[in-house]
Amino acid sequence: MVDSLGFHLWCPRCGIKLKEGEYRPWCPRCRGPLEAMGLPRLPPVLGEGSTPLVEAGEGVYAKLEYLNPSGSFKDRGVGYSLRMASLLGYDCVVVDSSGNTGLSTALYSARLGLKARVYVPRGASPGKKALIRATGAELVEAGSREEAARLAEAEAEKCFHVAHPTNPLFIEGVKSLGRELAGEAARGADVLAPVSSGTLLLGIYRGLEEERGGFRLVAVQSPAAYSLKGLVQELGWVGGVEGRLLDALLLTRPPRLGEMARAVRESGGGVVVVGDGAIPGAVREAVQRGFLVEPSSAAVFAAHEVLKEKKWLSGRSLLVLTGSGLKYASLLEKLAAEAA
């Protein structure tokens, strides 16, 4: 428990400030993303965070975020958000997700005694859907990612809506990753991370800035959700224009897009677009280096190879491996065989 929950949420877009301790998933006036003041530091719920940073080649290091309890970095943001939800008196949680946030929400809700309803697009990973059901959460399949979001939004008044693209509590949890990287030789390094909603990118950026700075951010995006197009320097494109295999990178209009672009620009970084054609080789490379990660995470290996060929890299690279490949066992086998 914490002594006080005297935080305030406020909207940088329209200036509204909510009452002390009041939670909303987005601004009640303009629906923009909220920011927070006075949030407490909270202990982990299931030991999330403090993931290994291991050597993955000469001058290359991998941050193993897929070793978090539910198999993805989302545990950092979900763990913090749901502990706050519990402290605020909520007894139910709702979330829309392509898979990883949904599984994380289901697992942490089970641990904290919260009733969870998870809306996912019908095409979400079968492995992720099976694991969500295994936690006891209610899984509802929607026709699309957009429909899943609408269904979850309809319940936002009665249950804690995780709403990670706009929820400042979620980013507060992910900031712990940036703080860890700051203590693990991020200064002077190029940090490559998969980017869709931007919560990972901004959590890393804010955490690193809070501690020491001195890094370049490289956003790795899917052709199907290339939201940073024209907003930051395009450093390379590989693998064609299809992005079906990158099913964790689906958000085409992230609410914090402006801030995402500023973070990349201010760090001196850019974006690399990775399509399906590069994924089999990236998966095979990841596995051969000892990392069982999902295709959307493996994309950072393809991006790193592009930057290496262009001689853009500064000398030390940190690859953020976000999601576990154990949720994609059959697909990983197929992709690795294609690249053999």
Side-chain angles (χ1 to χ4, degrees):
M1 297 291 288
V2 294
D3 294 331
S4 171
L5 292 177
F7 66 89
H8 282 96
L9 301 185
W10 62 283
C11 177
R13 182 183 296 174
C14 69
I16 189 174
K17 183 177 179 181
L18 305 187
K19 294 184 295 184
E20 181 178 325
E22 179 183 2
Y23 172 76
R24 293 291 186 94
W26 44 72
C27 176
R29 179 184 293 167
C30 72
R31 294 185 59 83
L34 294 169
E35 296 296 338
M37 298 180 294
L39 286 174
R41 289 275 184 102
L42 297 175
V45 176
L46 286 170
E48 62 274 8
S50 299
T51 55
L53 181 77
V54 302
E55 189 172 359
E58 186 177 353
V60 183
Y61 298 85
K63 184 66 169 170
L64 309 190
E65 285 296 285
Y66 66 94
L67 296 184
N68 277 298
S70 80
S72 90
F73 84 93
K74 298 290 179 66
D75 291 350
R76 293 179 185 265
V78 168
Y80 186 92
S81 297
L82 295 197
R83 187 181 284 279
M84 287 290 287
S86 183
L87 293 171
L88 290 168
Y90 286 91
D91 59 9
C92 60
V93 179
V94 64
V95 67
D96 60 277
S97 168
S98 60
N100 280 331
T101 308
L103 175 56
S104 182
T105 297
L107 188 67
Y108 280 75
S109 293
R111 176 57 183 256
L112 292 167
L114 301 168
K115 183 179 179 180
R117 180 175 289 118
V118 181
Y119 291 95
V120 300
R122 194 163 290 115
S125 160
K128 291 177 182 178
K129 290 189 285 190
L131 291 170
I132 289 170
R133 292 190 184 98
T135 68
E138 181 182 356
L139 180 76
V140 181
E141 295 191 52
S144 66
R145 186 70 173 83
E146 291 73 22
E147 183 186 354
R150 289 194 298 271
L151 291 170
E153 182 179 332
E155 301 184 40
E157 289 299 321
K158 60 181 180 180
C159 293
F160 182 92
H161 192 328
V162 175
H164 69 282
T166 55
N167 175 3
L169 306 184
F170 191 95
I171 291 182
E172 185 67 22
V174 181
K175 275 171 59 178
S176 63
L177 173 54
R179 290 193 292 265
E180 285 175 25
L181 290 174
E184 296 170 334
R187 178 171 288 279
D190 301 314
V191 181
L192 283 69
V195 171
S196 178
S197 69
T199 53
L200 174 66
L201 178 80
L202 293 175
I204 292 172
Y205 178 76
R206 293 184 187 188
L208 282 167
E209 283 289 300
E210 208 173 79
E211 294 296 319
R212 58 194 291 186
F215 56 92
R216 294 192 298 184
L217 278 176
V218 177
V220 180
Q221 292 207 288
S222 163
Y226 185 10
S227 60
L228 288 168
K229 183 177 182 178
L231 299 177
V232 303
Q233 182 183 7
E234 185 180 295
L235 302 173
W237 190 313
V238 65
V241 297
E242 296 291 332
R244 289 173 292 181
L245 293 174
L246 294 95
D247 68 342
L249 307 178
L250 296 178
L251 198 58
T252 57
R253 295 189 298 274
R256 298 183 186 271
L257 182 58
E259 186 184 355
M260 291 161 56
R262 284 193 300 275
V264 173
R265 289 196 303 265
E266 289 175 7
S267 74
V271 61
V272 177
V273 183
V274 177
D276 284 350
I279 296 303
V283 166
R284 183 171 174 80
E285 181 181 358
V287 172
Q288 289 182 333
R289 295 194 186 196
F291 308 118
L292 286 172
V293 294
E294 65 185 14
S296 298
S297 295
V300 299
F301 287 98
H304 184 264
E305 188 61 29
V306 168
L307 298 179
K308 183 178 178 181
E309 291 176 359
K310 290 178 176 286
K311 302 187 185 305
W312 185 87
L313 298 166
S314 62
R316 189 189 311 123
S317 302
L318 304 183
L319 312 185
V320 183
L321 304 184
T322 51
S324 173
L326 295 178
K327 306 168 189 175
Y328 294 80
S330 298
L331 180 59
L332 288 194
E333 180 185 26
K334 178 184 176 183
L335 293 175
E338 286 179 11

